[in-house]
Amino acid sequence: MKARDTIFIGFTLFALFFGAGNLIYPVSLGIESGTSYFPAIFGFVITGVGLPIVTVAAISLVRNGAVQLAGRVHPMFGILFTSMVYLVIGPFFAIPRAANVAFETGIVPFTNGKPLTLFIFTVLFFILVYWLSRNPSKLVDRVGQILTPTLFLAILGLVIGSFFLLDGPIQPAGEKYQAQPFFTGFIEGYLTMDAIASLAFGIIVVSSFRDRGVTDPKTLTTRTLKAGLVTAIGLTTVYVAIGWIGARMATEGSYDNGSAILAGAAQIMYGNIGTLLLGLIVGLACLTTCIGLTVACGQFFSKRVPGLTYKHVTIIVTLISFAISNIGLNQIIAYSVPVLVFVYPITIVLVALTFMSPLFNHSPYVYRGAILLTAVIGVYDGLVAFGADVSAIEPLISQLPLFELNLSWVLPAFIGGVIGLLLDYFKGQPRHKESFQNG
């Protein structure tokens, strides 16, 4: 295996991660955080870049991907949680969101943006997604060697222009970013969905290395981390630059979402050519992400649902994604947030436990205790995000440390893990390594 293969796999991972949320959320953070931009974007990078790369590395440590990772809680939990993750990052949320961002940024500026136009666009978009997803073995060649360099060059053109052609003054931080800009940015990083997407993309990366003859576990993890470093450098650079565009756009008008901010910036900098450039960036970014997610869903469900082939699953995924795409971007974002604030803490705790697992001899009780209490808080946070009435339990939850930072699950996760460790000790089952190796 050549060093350039690692670089190309890193490029592929960058393109798979870099989709709709990676464009619209950093620029929204920039326009809202203003003078608090740098601590806010640093927090965003922690969850938007660091956590996904660490999760991919965690996937390289287990043989059977996310199912085995989550299966350390319980085999049934492994199947159910991972299935939910694939549905969230696949046809229910991430793929339709990506298609809508591509439409609003690349098509709406030149058309009326009516539902019929969205319908026609999504028909063509998902035909292309399905066609490029048919052969997953060519994913690295198509994405890593062709689409990603084109995408990066287009982004570079937009970013360079922003430093010379956008001169709006940086405004004071909005209310959301005044008190704790770092932690607000940290939570905003959830919305990219990349940490949970990495549960799916991780196995694509690991499989790509295995296809190239890397089988030694230590070498596999090292190679995965090197590819992840390539991805991390690319994502961090782009996030900081795109976020800065948002910070410079605060005085240029009011915008409904990140897509509108980027479209306005491109128009100011380059006129109609800028709008075309942005359309190319968004189209490529969303296309590569949708291809990767469709491939991941196809590989996952075809192996676990009897009677369903890879072809069947990819057809189903594209049809469901097409249908949901036509409800509109704002509606998709609104109903995805409650699910994300539930799933993300569980994912973070699972990944943390994976690296710490040797310290507690891989005890399933530690996993179960930590995940159970994390999930309880996650349900509460999800209900709050959904707008449900939680006044009956809010006084209790609000007493938890880090509640104001939306990190109230941290202490319960720790307590649950300690309880699991004590239970494991009193049951007299101090070692579980063999069962996890076979899991």
Side-chain angles (χ1 to χ4, degrees):
M1 182 175 176
K2 300 178 181 179
R4 70 175 186 179
D5 290 329
T6 300
I7 295 174
F8 281 137
I9 291 173
F11 282 171
T12 300
L13 186 59
F14 170 87
L16 295 179
F17 279 140
F18 194 78
N22 311 82
L23 283 163
I24 62 178
Y25 293 118
V27 73
S28 295
L29 178 148
I31 202 169
E32 294 177 17
S33 60
T35 53
S36 297
Y37 170 69
F38 287 105
I41 196 66
F42 182 61
F44 185 92
V45 166
I46 296 297
T47 47
V49 179
L51 184 58
I53 301 305
V54 170
T55 304
V56 171
I59 293 295
S60 72
L61 297 175
V62 294
R63 287 198 304 260
N64 298 320
V67 172
Q68 184 177 348
L69 203 67
R72 292 180 168 184
V73 179
H74 188 277
M76 184 59 67
F77 176 83
I79 294 293
L80 294 177
F81 179 75
T82 308
S83 297
M84 181 175 67
V85 164
Y86 274 88
L87 292 174
V88 167
I89 64 173
F92 287 171
F93 299 122
I95 295 178
R97 183 183 69 179
N100 266 266
V101 171
F103 173 74
E104 291 205 4
T105 309
I107 304 299
V108 170
F110 302 102
T111 65
N112 53 29
K114 291 183 178 180
L116 179 60
T117 309
L118 174 62
F119 178 84
I120 295 171
F121 170 80
T122 51
V123 168
L124 298 175
F125 183 86
F126 284 110
I127 288 175
L128 184 59
V129 167
Y130 172 70
W131 180 69
L132 291 172
S133 302
R134 289 186 306 168
N135 192 341
S137 65
K138 295 183 179 179
L139 186 64
V140 170
D141 293 335
R142 288 170 172 169
V143 175
Q145 299 183 32
I146 301 173
L147 294 178
T148 304
T150 305
L151 171 62
F152 203 81
L153 288 174
I155 293 172
L156 188 63
L158 184 67
V159 167
I160 289 175
S162 70
F163 285 99
F164 297 99
L165 301 174
L166 293 178
D167 55 3
I170 305 300
Q171 298 297 296
E175 181 179 355
K176 188 165 73 169
Y177 287 91
Q178 288 177 357
Q180 298 286 347
F182 171 83
F183 288 104
T184 303
F186 184 92
I187 299 301
E188 289 294 298
Y190 287 6
L191 301 179
T192 64
M193 298 192 192
D194 282 349
I196 56 176
S198 58
L199 292 171
F201 292 155
I203 196 64
I204 293 177
V205 172
V206 171
S207 297
S208 296
F209 280 120
R210 286 174 176 160
D211 291 343
R212 286 161 173 76
V214 180
T215 56
D216 176 66
K218 184 177 179 180
T219 304
L220 184 62
T221 300
T222 301
R223 289 279 188 176
T224 301
L225 286 171
K226 288 181 179 178
L229 180 61
V230 173
T231 303
I233 292 172
L235 287 175
T236 301
T237 302
V238 171
Y239 286 163
V240 172
I242 290 179
W244 189 247
I245 292 176
R248 288 290 189 182
M249 287 292 291
T251 60
E252 299 295 339
S254 59
Y255 305 92
D256 292 335
N257 50 51
S259 296
I261 300 170
L262 284 173
Q267 182 67 33
I268 291 171
M269 288 187 287
Y270 301 120
N272 289 335
I273 294 177
T275 304
L276 287 172
L277 177 63
L278 181 63
L280 174 65
I281 293 171
V282 174
L284 286 174
C286 294
L287 179 64
T288 53
T289 296
C290 288
I291 293 168
L293 292 172
T294 302
V295 168
C297 289
Q299 292 177 334
F300 177 79
F301 288 110
S302 63
K303 293 177 181 178
R304 288 166 178 83
V305 181
L308 281 182
T309 65
Y310 174 83
K311 180 179 179 180
H312 292 152
V313 177
T314 53
I315 291 174
I316 293 170
V317 168
T318 51
L319 288 175
I320 294 175
S321 301
F322 162 74
I324 295 179
S325 295
N326 281 273
I327 72 173
L329 178 60
N330 290 336
Q331 289 79 5
I332 292 172
I333 292 174
Y335 78 75
S336 67
V337 171
V339 179
L340 292 178
V341 297
F342 168 72
V343 172
Y344 247 87
I346 295 175
T347 303
I348 294 172
V349 173
L350 268 178
V351 171
L353 290 173
T354 300
F355 287 103
M356 295 188 295
S357 196
L359 299 178
F360 50 83
N361 295 319
H362 313 281
S363 168
Y365 299 107
V366 174
Y367 279 89
R368 291 167 190 170
I371 294 299
L372 176 61
L373 294 191
T374 302
V376 169
I377 303 301
V379 169
Y380 168 83
D381 289 338
L383 290 173
V384 171
F386 185 71
D389 182 9
V390 293
S391 56
I393 58 174
E394 182 175 356
L396 177 63
I397 302 296
S398 63
Q399 299 302 311
L400 290 170
L402 307 179
F403 173 80
E404 297 297 331
L405 305 177
N406 294 312
L407 296 172
S408 52
W409 50 269
V410 173
L411 181 61
F414 177 77
I415 292 174
V418 171
I419 292 173
L421 189 63
L422 292 174
L423 182 62
D424 187 72
Y425 176 79
F426 287 115
K427 279 182 170 287
Q429 298 173 325
R431 299 203 62 80
H432 306 275
K433 182 176 181 180
E434 187 65 30
S435 65
F436 280 104
Q437 288 178 337
N438 295 330

